[in-house]
Amino acid sequence: MSVIKMADLDLSGKRVLIREDLNVPVADGKVTSDARIRAALPTIEAALAANAAVMLVSHLGRPTEGEPEEKFSLKPVADRLGELLGRDVPLATDWIDGVDVEPGHVVLCENVRFLAGEKACDEALAMKMAALCEIFVMDAFGTAHRAQASTYGIAEHAPVACAGPLLAAELDALGKALDNPARPFVAIVGGSKVSTKLTVLDTLANLVDTLIVGGGIANTFIAAAGHNVGKSLFEKDMLGTASDLARDEHDRAEIPVPDDVVVAPEFSAAAPPATKTVAEVGDDDMILDIGPETAARFAAILKNAGTIIWNGPVGVFEFDSFGDGTRILSEAIAESDAFSVAGGGDTLAAIDKYGVRDRISYISTGGGAFLEFVEGKKLPAVEILEQRAS
Ligand code: ADP
Ligand code: MG
């Protein structure tokens, strides 16, 4: 099924409400990283150039619904967006009953999570949002896995509901990587959210040829293989699942487990690193990175890949002593001819730290949404756009 795209619609003179992901870090009333605002610019500029009356909607942080709080206000975003667009961007604080905006102008609506009923996808709230516009544009991939009033309910009720350019590009790129992937197809799943990534591993093992594990996930596989992991982050409840996955022979992915690791006595930037084989890890050790031999072995697998999906750093890359594994793998992805897709907040931070952003084929703006897409789950906010297109 396909969706209507904003690029295919005549927006001239129309009231167009765009759901953006402008959830950026703010400190002291200033935006500290404007990457998401910059990512949204082409869509906003295209709508303005088409002479639409543009209303922007986004969440910011996790305020208590129905209790507007200054620290979650989108005012700093309106200011930064205004600088980037080179025009005034007014912030509409009371917008749900009507927004004053002329064609060729843009208004940012205050934090949608200030409204009671947003998260529960309250129907009355969604209908009010839908009544504000003639065309609803969903352009926030990072929130597409949540069925809320501003991502799902409004799309049910708006006269026309379509995908914005950012969302459309994201779905195309991810679809291309997953529909008919060039092989070998390799996934890297690392990081610290071990239990939430469990279902992903099980699904991925059916899709990919090699599943590289790192971080707390690798530690769980090391423990499942019968080794001591000392004080390392791992998931006890997942040991059975990990050994099932590792043992599985039914045409599922190969899961190469690290054979050397970098350990430290504590979780800190200053902790002295030591390289050990997995058999040498002691009770007081914390595994904080994959070792150099393992990194070289994984890098060789990545260089030879046809498609790579990456979510989760393989070590505590924020501390330089434990960043080599993630650095070596990110460089291997950059050097590989594979079509590569990466997503996840900390994964993107690692990509920037190691300067490989422009050598990764596609950077997903979503973390949770990216993983759910990879798992083959239908994203609710996309599903409703498909229904509205048919
Ligand atoms: P993402 O945000 O990319 O989805 P996660 O949030 O799951 O990734 O995990 C990222 C975090 O995992 C990083 O902050 C990193 O320091 C941590 N991490 C990686 N390896 C380990 C490890 N061996 N032990 C503890 N934490 C780890
Ligand atoms: Mg994270």
Side-chain angles (χ1 to χ4, degrees):
M1 265 210 283
S2 60
V3 299
I4 300 171
K5 293 185 178 169
M6 184 182 106
D8 299 333
L9 297 174
D10 178 11
L11 307 182
S12 181
K14 297 268 169 54
R15 294 178 62 85
V16 176
L17 187 149
I18 310 177
R19 176 55 160 101
E20 298 281 6
D21 180 1
L22 302 175
N23 180 31
V24 295
V26 170
D28 300 325
K30 288 256 179 290
V31 172
T32 54
S33 165
D34 65 3
R36 281 181 169 156
I37 303 177
R38 286 176 185 278
L41 279 184
T43 300
I44 301 167
E45 281 169 340
L48 287 170
N51 199 38
V54 182
M55 293 160 276
L56 306 174
V57 169
S58 175
H59 71 286
L60 187 127
R62 298 181 174 198
T64 306
E65 280 190 3
E67 294 176 26
E69 248 190 287
E70 169 127 27
K71 69 171 173 177
F72 296 115
S73 171
L74 282 169
K75 182 74 178 73
V77 175
D79 293 344
R80 183 67 190 127
L81 181 60
E83 286 166 19
L84 291 168
L85 284 173
R87 60 159 76 216
D88 194 34
V89 178
L91 180 74
T93 43
D94 289 316
W95 55 274
I96 192 66
D97 292 311
V99 178
D100 216 2
V101 59
E102 295 297 315
H105 291 265
V106 56
V107 166
L108 176 61
C109 301
E110 183 57 290
N111 195 341
V112 70
R113 287 193 183 160
F114 285 173
L115 301 171
E118 160 66 3
K119 285 196 215 157
C121 198
D122 179 75
E123 178 134 36
L125 181 66
M127 288 177 81
K128 280 186 163 189
M129 287 181 193
L132 295 171
C133 65
E134 290 161 276
I135 298 173
F136 168 66
V137 180
M138 174 62 184
D139 213 22
F141 177 78
T143 65
H145 60 311
R146 302 194 185 108
Q148 303 185 335
S150 70
T151 61
Y152 185 93
I154 183 173
E156 276 186 293
H157 297 291
V160 176
C162 69
L166 250 193
L167 177 69
E170 189 109 34
L171 296 173
D172 276 355
L174 296 182
K176 180 181 170 210
L178 295 169
D179 271 0
N180 194 6
R183 295 197 179 259
F185 187 1
V186 181
I188 309 170
V189 181
S192 55
K193 288 177 254 159
V194 185
S195 52
T196 61
K197 292 183 181 183
L198 160 69
T199 48
V200 188
L201 286 192
D202 198 43
T203 318
L204 275 182
N206 294 324
L207 298 174
V208 304
D209 300 301
T210 307
L211 185 49
I212 289 177
V213 289
I217 295 155
N219 294 346
T220 308
F221 277 87
I222 294 169
H227 297 290
N228 186 3
V229 293
K231 298 187 293 181
S232 307
L233 169 75
F234 80 111
E235 190 70 50
K236 266 209 187 76
D237 300 341
M238 248 186 81
L239 289 175
T241 316
S243 43
D244 286 350
L245 277 165
R247 172 165 6 98
D248 213 305
E249 286 154 2
H250 308 290
D251 226 18
R252 306 228 300 174
E254 232 21 93
I255 306 180
V257 175
D259 16 57
D260 63 339
V261 289
V262 182
V263 302
E266 58 178 25
F267 189 89
S268 98
T275 299
K276 295 190 175 181
T277 68
V278 288
E280 290 166 348
V281 174
D283 289 346
D284 292 328
D285 287 329
M286 257 186 166
I287 303 173
L288 297 181
D289 196 6
I290 55 174
E293 276 175 32
T294 300
R297 184 156 60 98
F298 289 177
I301 294 170
L302 292 167
K303 281 183 192 157
N304 180 43
T307 305
I308 299 168
I309 295 273
W310 178 20
N311 172 259
V314 295
V316 184
F317 73 97
E318 295 92 339
F319 305 155
D320 286 337
S321 307
F322 310 100
D324 280 349
T326 303
R327 179 179 56 76
I328 288 166
L329 297 201
S330 58
E331 285 165 0
I333 297 170
E335 282 161 29
S336 167
D337 293 329
F339 185 84
S340 51
V341 188
D346 296 293
T347 307
L348 298 201
I351 284 168
D352 283 335
K353 176 163 181 174
Y354 301 119
V356 296
R357 182 176 273 265
D358 57 355
R359 285 179 293 159
I360 291 185
S361 315
Y362 193 78
I363 306 266
S364 175
T365 56
F370 171 64
L371 279 181
E372 291 196 14
F373 189 98
V374 169
E375 274 182 79
K377 282 195 190 156
K378 280 271 180 191
L379 304 178
V382 175
E383 210 169 10
I384 186 68
L385 295 182
E386 289 177 343
Q387 283 173 27
R388 292 300 312 275
S390 62

